[in-house]
Amino acid sequence: AIGSAPTSDPDDVVGIRLEFGRGLALGALKRLDESVKAFVRAADAAETLGWLSRAATALFEGGMRAFARPDLAAALGAYERSLAVEERRGFREGIAWSLGAIGSVHRSLGNYAKALAHDERALALEEARESHAGNVAVILGNIGLDHASRGDLVKALESHKRALQLMEAADDRAGAARTLVNIGNVHESLSNYERARECYDRALKLREALKDPTGVALVLGNIGVVQFALGLYAQAIASCERALQLTEDLNDRAGVASNLQNIGVVHDELGNTRTALEHYERALRIYEELSDRTGVARILGNIGNCHESLGDRESALANLERALRLATELGDREGMATNLSNIGCFHEALRNYEKALEYDERALRLTEALGDRAGTARNLANIGSIHASLGDRVKALLFLDRATREAERLRANAILVWSLKTSARIRLQSGDYPRALDAAHRAATILESLLTGLADEQGSTARERYAGVFEIGALAAARAGDTGETSYFVESGRAGSLVESLGGRQAMRWQSAPDALRTAQIEARSGESVALSTYTESLATEDRRQILAASKVLESARDRVREVVDRIQREARREANIWYPRAATMEEIQKWLIVGDALVLYAFCLNQVMALVLTRDDARIVSLCTSTEATAACEALDADDRDVDAAPALARLHALLVDPLKLSASTKRLLISPEGPLSYVPFAAVAPERTVVYEPSGTTYGLLLENAPSRGEGVLALGDPDYAGAREGPSHAVYWGRRPLVALPATREEASQVGNVALLGADASEGGLRVALRKVDGGRWRAVHFACHGLIDAERPSLSSLALSRDRANDGFLTALEVLDLDVPADLAVLSACETGKGLVVKGEGIVGLMRAFMFAGSPRVICSLWKVDDEATRVLMTKFYELWNPKDGAPGVPTVEALRAAQEFVRSHPKWKHPYYWAAWVLWGLPT
C-alpha cells in the first residue's frame, strides 16, 4: 500500500480503498503527517463519489493522526468535516463520536466550555438512541474531564462515578481502570490524597491484570505523586522509578520526562539537590525535543530552585523568570502560581522580604482562585515565614496557623512540618517555651512518616533538611529546664538513618534483595568495571578530550551503582517493615552507662551550642557558647600541620567544650556524640585527662551494646596493596585522578606485625578480602585491619573508599557502598589509612561515610583517622595498640578505648612524634570495651 506515492488523486472505489490503506499503514509507521494527507485524499474522493460512510471514517481517522502529532488545528478541521458528513447521512452514532472527538480537541486547546457543549450533545444523542453502555461511559468520562478542567470538581466526580458504574457493569476493565484514574485525579485536586491513592491502587490492579504496561506506568506515576504529597518519600521514589523503567522500555518519551520530573521533585524535597537537578535536566531535554512548552515551563521552575539551593543565584533567577513568562504566555495559572511562589522563596533567601511578600501574595491569590488547597497552604506558610523575618510575629503566627489547619486537613505532611517548625521557632524567640515545645513535638511525630524507609545516604540528607525541628525543640526544652525533653529532641534528631539501618541489619543484607535488583546491581558494577578499564586506557593516550570523555562515562557508571544500591536499601527496608527509629529515652540511655562513664551529647541549636551530659545517676543541660565561637575554635585547630603549635587551639577548645561540663573526678571515660564541626575535633588531644570514645548517638550506643556478639579470634590484615599492578600488569594499576596511587611500603610491615592472616601486595584485593572474611569455622574475627590509602568523596560519601589491589573482578576501590554489601564479622574494624573518619558531615546525622558503613556491616567498633597520617608513626601506634588489645600470648588484653589511648601516649612520648599530628588523628567509634 505504501510502495510508491500516488501520481494522482483516487477517482474510484479501488483507489479510495488503497489510499485509505496507505493512511493506516503510514500511521502505523508513525509517519503521521503523510498519514493525515492520505486520509484526507481518500475522504475528498469518497465525498465526490457520494461514498459518505467512507468519507466520514477517513476524516475521523485523519483527525486521530493529526491529534496524535499533535496538530490540533488540523485535527479540529478533520473532525468538524467528519461531523458535517455524518449529519448529512443522518448517522447518529457517527455524529456522537465526531462530537466527542471535537470536544477532546477543544479540551486540549483549553476551550473547556466548547468541549463541554460538544460532549453534552454527544451524551444526549447516545442516551436517546439507547446506545451501548460503554459508549455512554466514555462520553461521561469526557464530561468529567471538562468539569474538572473548569474547576467544577463536584460535577466532575459525579460524571466519573456514573461512568465507572457503567464500565463495571459492562465488565470493561480497561475503561474502569481509566475512569478510576480520572476519579483519583479529582480527589487529588481536592487534596483527598488517601481516596486518590485508593482509586489508583484499584486501577493499578486492573492494569496489571490486563498486562498493560503503558497503563501500569501511567498509574504508577500517579501513585508516586500522591505518595509524595503524603510524605511517603521512599515509596514515591520506588513507584516513580518503576514507572520510569516501563516508559523507557516502551520508548514513551513524554512519560519518561514526566517520571524523571517526579523523581527529581522527591529528591529535591529530600535535599538531594544534585540528584534532583540531574533528573530535571534530563526531563528538560525531552520536553524541548517534544516541543512541550508547558512541560518546559514547569521543569524550568524546578531547575531554578536547584540552582538557588546550590548557590548559583544568577542561573536560578534566569530559569525562574523564564518559567514564569512561559506559564503566563500559555495561560497556565497553576504553573504561574508555582513559579510566583518559587520566585518569592528566592527573594526570601536573599532577604528581599518585601519583594518576596509581593510574589507570594500574588501566588496565594491564584491558588485560592484555582481551589488549589495544597498550594494555598504552602503560600500561607511562606507568607507567615516572611512576616516573621520582617519582625511581625502576630501576622506571622496568623498565617502559619491558617497554613497548619489547611495542611492538617489535607494531610500534606511536608507543608505541615514546615509551618509547625516556623511557628515553634517564633514562639521560642518570644519565650513561649510550652507552645514552642508542643509545635516541635507535633512536627517531630509527623517526620516519622516522612523519613521512613529511605536509603542510608538519602535518609541522612533528608534528616538534615528537617534538623531544625529538633534544634528548636531541644533549645525550647533546655530553656524550660526539662532534661527528658531535651534528650528526646537531641536523640530523635541524631543518627536516625544509622539507627534505622542497625535496627534491621540482618533483614537488609544484599542476599535478601529481590532477584531483579541483585541482577541490576551486578550489571551496574560490571558497567563500572568496563568504564574504569576504558578510563585507565585513556590515561596512556594523554589525550585530554579522550580522558575527559572516559572520566564522564566512569562517573555516570558509578552514579548508576549508587542508584541501584539506594533502590536495594529502600526495598529491603520496605520488605523488612523497618520504620522510623524510636529514640531511646534518657532513662534507657542512663541504664547503658556504667559508673565512671559520661555521655556528652553536643548539640548545635540555632546559634547556640549546648551539651546534654548523662551519667548513670545524673542528667544536666550545659550551655556552652555560640555556634560561631565553636566553629571558629574548630577551624583554628590545625592539628594536621606539624609546623604549627596546636596547644593554644586545643586549650581554647577545652575551655569552650570541656571546662563548662564540670565533670567530676570520678568520670574516667567520655562517650562523645559530636555534631557539625565537632565531628572532626580530636577529643583525645582536647581532653587527654580521660579516655574518649565517639558515638553517633546514645540510641546507637544502646543498639550496639544489645547486639554485641561473642568475642572473635585472630586478626585479618591487608597491607601494601599492589597499586602499580606489578603482578597482573599495568592494566591492573590503581589510579586516583590521572596518576597511579603511590605505594605504602610501611604498611606491609604494619599488616604483617598485627595480623594473624596478612593479605599483602596483589593479594590485598577486594576479592581476597571477601574470601578471607568468611572464616572456615564460621566464627568472627577479632579485628579486620586495613593499612592502605583512604580516599574520601565528601560530596558523595557512599563512594568514599579504601584503595586495595585491583583484581580481575574488582576495581580496587572498596567503597562505602560495597562495604554495605559485605558481612564483616569482626569485633573491630581498623581503617589505618588517611582521613577514613571523614565523609559528609550531615547536620543532626553525623558523619556519613566509611565508619558508618563498617558499623552497618557488622563491626560494633571502628578505628579511623581524622586527617592524613604519618606512615611510620601509624605503624608504631597500631603495633602497640594490638600488643595491648589483642596480645598474641592469649592474654585477655585491655579494653579497646584504653588500648588506643595507651598507644597514642606511647607515640606521643617519642620526641619526634610529640605533635598531635602523629597520634591524635586516631579515634574510636562505637563500643569502648
Side-chain angles (χ1 to χ4, degrees):
I2 60 170
S4 59
T7 56
S8 60
D9 290 337
D11 56 5
D12 60 9
V13 171
V14 172
I16 292 169
R17 284 178 171 159
L18 282 172
E19 196 64 11
F20 190 90
R22 274 174 44 78
L24 292 172
L26 289 163
L29 291 172
K30 306 297 182 185
R31 290 160 62 179
L32 298 177
D33 188 52
E34 296 174 74
S35 175
V36 171
K37 290 177 180 176
F39 280 124
V40 170
R41 284 158 57 87
D44 289 343
E47 198 170 3
T48 299
L49 287 180
W51 189 6
L52 298 185
S53 61
R54 178 52 60 96
T57 303
L59 287 165
F60 195 90
E61 293 284 351
M64 289 172 61
R65 278 30 174 220
F67 191 81
R69 283 189 56 197
D71 183 343
L72 298 182
L76 186 61
Y79 287 143
E80 286 179 338
R81 278 190 63 192
S82 174
L83 173 63
V85 173
E86 297 290 23
E87 286 175 334
R88 280 174 60 194
R89 59 192 291 251
F91 185 51
R92 288 192 297 170
E93 183 177 2
I95 294 170
W97 280 108
S98 295
L99 285 166
I102 293 169
S104 296
V105 177
H106 280 302
R107 192 160 49 250
S108 297
L109 289 167
N111 303 327
Y112 303 125
K114 286 186 177 181
L116 181 60
H118 283 83
D119 286 329
E120 286 179 337
R121 279 185 61 197
L123 178 65
L125 276 172
E126 291 294 81
E127 287 181 331
R129 73 185 193 87
E130 297 181 356
S131 176
H132 186 276
N135 293 353
V136 174
V138 169
I139 297 171
L140 281 168
N142 290 338
I143 290 173
L145 294 175
D146 297 332
H147 284 306
S149 299
R150 300 183 73 198
D152 194 339
L153 299 179
V154 174
K155 285 186 177 179
L157 207 53
E158 290 173 359
S159 295
H160 287 316
K161 285 181 176 178
R162 283 182 60 197
L164 180 61
Q165 290 173 346
L166 291 170
M167 295 287 189
E168 289 177 334
D171 195 28
D172 180 355
R173 291 184 293 169
R178 184 173 60 251
T179 308
L180 281 165
V181 168
N182 290 338
I183 294 172
N185 289 341
V186 175
H187 281 304
E188 197 177 326
S189 298
L190 290 166
S191 301
N192 298 328
Y193 298 123
E194 287 291 359
R195 288 191 179 182
R197 187 165 64 169
E198 290 169 8
C199 291
Y200 294 149
D201 286 344
R202 288 174 60 191
L204 181 62
K205 289 177 183 175
L206 287 170
R207 291 296 188 189
E208 287 175 335
L210 291 166
K211 297 181 179 179
D212 172 13
T214 302
V216 168
L218 175 66
V219 180
L220 281 169
N222 286 323
I223 290 173
V225 170
V226 168
Q227 287 167 332
F228 171 76
L230 289 169
L232 304 173
Y233 296 145
Q235 294 180 36
I237 292 174
S239 296
C240 292
E241 283 178 344
R242 280 185 62 197
L244 176 63
Q245 186 63 60
L246 283 168
T247 50
E248 285 177 334
D249 293 344
L250 293 163
N251 197 29
D252 174 7
R253 302 288 288 158
V256 168
S258 176
N259 287 304
L260 284 168
Q261 184 170 3
N262 290 340
I263 295 169
V265 167
V266 185
H267 280 296
D268 208 350
E269 182 65 30
L270 291 172
N272 301 323
T273 308
R274 293 190 184 281
T275 304
L277 186 58
E278 289 168 8
H279 284 82
Y280 290 151
E281 287 178 339
R282 285 177 61 194
L284 175 62
R285 288 192 291 272
I286 296 172
Y287 284 134
E288 288 176 335
E289 289 168 10
L290 296 173
S291 301
D292 182 349
R293 297 177 71 214
T294 300
V296 168
R298 297 287 177 92
I299 207 76
L300 283 172
N302 296 134
I303 289 172
N305 288 339
C306 285
H307 282 300
E308 196 278 325
S309 298
L310 294 170
D312 185 353
R313 288 172 174 167
E314 186 177 346
S315 296
L317 189 58
N319 280 288
L320 292 171
E321 289 181 338
R322 184 182 164 205
L324 179 59
R325 283 196 304 272
L326 267 174
T328 305
E329 289 169 11
L330 293 165
D332 177 8
R333 293 195 298 162
E334 185 180 340
M336 289 168 62
T338 300
N339 286 300
L340 285 166
S341 181
N342 288 339
I343 295 174
C345 290
F346 173 84
H347 284 296
E348 185 180 4
L350 290 178
R351 300 186 178 182
N352 300 330
Y353 299 125
E354 294 292 351
K355 205 162 192 178
L357 193 59
E358 175 194 335
Y359 278 100
D360 272 302
E361 286 176 341
R362 287 174 61 192
L364 178 63
R365 288 193 291 271
L366 275 172
T367 52
E368 287 179 329
L370 289 166
D372 177 4
R373 292 163 61 196
T376 296
R378 189 177 298 106
N379 290 134
L380 288 168
N382 289 344
I383 292 170
S385 175
I386 295 167
H387 280 301
S389 299
L390 288 167
D392 192 336
R393 291 177 180 171
V394 174
K395 269 190 178 179
L397 289 172
L398 180 67
F399 278 97
L400 288 165
D401 287 346
R402 284 179 60 194
T404 299
R405 290 193 298 272
E406 191 66 39
E408 281 179 324
R409 281 196 291 269
L410 301 177
R411 289 192 60 194
N413 287 334
I415 303 171
L416 184 54
V417 169
W418 170 249
S419 59
L420 286 168
K421 183 188 81 170
T422 310
S423 297
R425 177 168 55 83
I426 294 169
R427 297 186 191 282
L428 170 66
Q429 290 167 344
S430 62
D432 188 353
Y433 303 136
R435 289 192 180 182
L437 270 172
D438 177 65
H441 253 300
R442 290 168 64 193
T445 302
I446 295 162
L447 286 175
E448 294 181 10
S449 64
L450 282 178
L451 304 180
T452 293
L454 295 164
D456 188 62
E457 191 174 326
Q458 290 175 351
S460 297
T461 52
R463 286 178 171 86
E464 179 179 39
R465 194 176 184 88
Y466 291 102
V469 170
F470 303 103
E471 289 182 37
I472 293 165
L475 194 54
R479 289 182 177 172
D482 191 330
T483 52
E485 285 289 85
T486 304
S487 176
Y488 164 78
F489 281 106
V490 171
E491 279 293 311
S492 295
R494 182 160 301 202
S497 186
L498 177 59
V499 172
E500 187 177 1
S501 298
L502 290 173
R505 192 175 75 83
Q506 290 307 317
M508 291 169 59
R509 306 312 303 163
W510 182 81
Q511 292 83 355
S512 304
D515 289 343
L517 285 180
R518 282 190 289 166
T519 300
Q521 184 177 8
I522 291 167
E523 290 173 351
R525 291 208 187 280
S526 175
E528 180 188 23
S529 180
V530 170
L532 179 64
S533 295
T534 304
Y535 174 69
T536 304
E537 290 166 5
S538 75
L539 294 174
T541 68
E542 298 185 357
D543 182 330
R544 291 186 62 186
R545 288 187 179 181
Q546 189 173 337
I547 292 169
L548 182 61
S551 175
K552 287 182 177 179
V553 172
L554 178 58
E555 288 300 302
S556 177
R558 284 177 171 164
D559 283 338
R560 174 62 178 158
V561 173
R562 288 174 68 219
E563 177 187 328
V564 175
V565 173
D566 282 350
R567 289 175 62 195
I568 288 174
Q569 289 184 7
R570 291 197 308 270
E571 183 71 15
R573 280 168 162 79
R574 187 180 67 81
E575 290 296 323
N577 200 31
I578 297 170
W579 298 107
Y580 188 87
R582 180 186 69 83
T585 65
M586 185 177 74
E587 292 77 15
E588 287 172 331
I589 295 171
Q590 287 178 298
K591 287 179 183 177
W592 295 325
L593 302 175
I594 63 173
V595 175
D597 279 355
L599 171 62
V600 183
L601 296 151
Y602 288 104
F604 280 61
C605 300
L606 303 183
N607 193 37
Q608 299 293 311
V609 182
M610 65 180 186
L612 178 63
V613 183
L614 301 179
T615 64
R616 191 167 182 86
D617 303 312
D618 189 30
R620 292 182 291 115
I621 302 165
V622 182
S623 180
L624 298 173
C625 57
T626 66
S627 302
T628 305
E629 288 174 315
T631 302
C634 292
E635 291 173 349
L637 176 64
D638 203 6
D640 58 344
D641 187 345
R642 69 201 90 179
D643 297 324
V644 176
D645 182 8
L650 291 171
R652 175 64 174 159
L653 286 167
H654 195 287
L656 287 176
L657 304 175
V658 180
D659 282 343
L661 303 180
K662 293 182 170 54
L663 299 168
S664 69
S666 61
T667 301
K668 304 299 182 186
R669 190 166 69 188
L670 289 181
L671 281 69
I672 300 289
S673 181
E675 187 176 17
L678 304 189
S679 301
Y680 292 152
V681 169
F683 277 91
V686 173
E689 65 274 13
R690 293 178 173 85
T691 57
V692 177
V693 61
Y694 293 65
E695 305 296 341
S697 68
T699 306
T700 306
Y701 180 60
L703 275 173
L704 294 174
L705 273 177
E706 291 179 347
N707 296 305
S710 58
R711 180 185 170 108
E713 295 294 333
V715 175
L716 170 63
L718 289 83
D720 191 22
D722 178 16
Y723 296 134
R727 188 167 77 181
E728 298 291 340
S731 64
H732 276 66
V734 180
Y735 282 81
W736 182 246
R738 297 188 182 183
R739 297 180 182 278
L741 287 170
V742 177
L744 298 171
T747 63
R748 175 175 288 263
E749 185 177 354
E750 178 184 329
S752 300
Q753 286 179 342
V754 306
N756 300 93
V757 174
L759 302 178
L760 305 172
D763 294 327
S765 65
E766 292 180 68
L769 170 67
R770 292 175 190 276
V771 171
L773 282 174
R774 297 190 293 271
K775 297 185 77 171
V776 176
D777 60 4
R780 294 176 61 80
W781 288 99
R782 182 70 172 137
V784 177
H785 184 98
F786 297 87
C788 57
H789 279 297
L791 307 170
I792 303 305
D793 190 328
E795 288 291 321
R796 299 170 298 176
S798 56
L799 294 183
S800 293
S801 61
L802 297 171
L804 306 180
S805 299
R806 190 171 173 186
D807 57 32
R808 295 183 184 279
N810 299 285
D811 60 11
F813 298 103
L814 180 65
T815 65
L817 277 181
E818 291 170 316
V819 175
L820 291 171
D821 277 351
L822 287 176
D823 189 7
V824 181
D827 301 346
L828 171 69
V830 180
L831 313 184
S832 181
C834 294
E835 302 181 306
T836 49
K838 288 191 171 183
L840 178 66
V841 179
V842 178
K843 197 172 187 179
E845 188 66 22
I847 298 174
V848 180
L850 287 164
M851 176 273 293
R852 289 166 61 110
F854 274 95
M855 276 192 173
F856 173 81
S859 177
R861 303 167 189 84
V862 181
I863 290 178
C864 49
S865 60
L866 296 178
W867 54 74
K868 294 183 184 299
V869 293
D870 179 82
D871 277 4
E872 185 61 20
T874 296
R875 182 188 65 78
V876 172
L877 185 146
M878 290 299 172
T879 303
K880 190 64 176 177
F881 167 77
Y882 280 100
E883 285 176 6
L884 298 168
W885 181 70
N886 189 50
K888 292 193 175 180
D889 61 6
V894 300
T896 315
V897 68
E898 293 176 20
L900 179 59
R901 183 187 182 196
Q904 289 175 313
E905 289 295 334
F906 178 76
V907 171
R908 185 183 185 185
S909 67
H910 288 63
K912 66 175 181 178
W913 292 333
K914 186 176 181 179
H915 194 281
Y917 165 77
Y918 294 99
W919 54 271
W922 299 102
V923 296
L924 170 66
W925 285 86
L927 296 182
T929 55

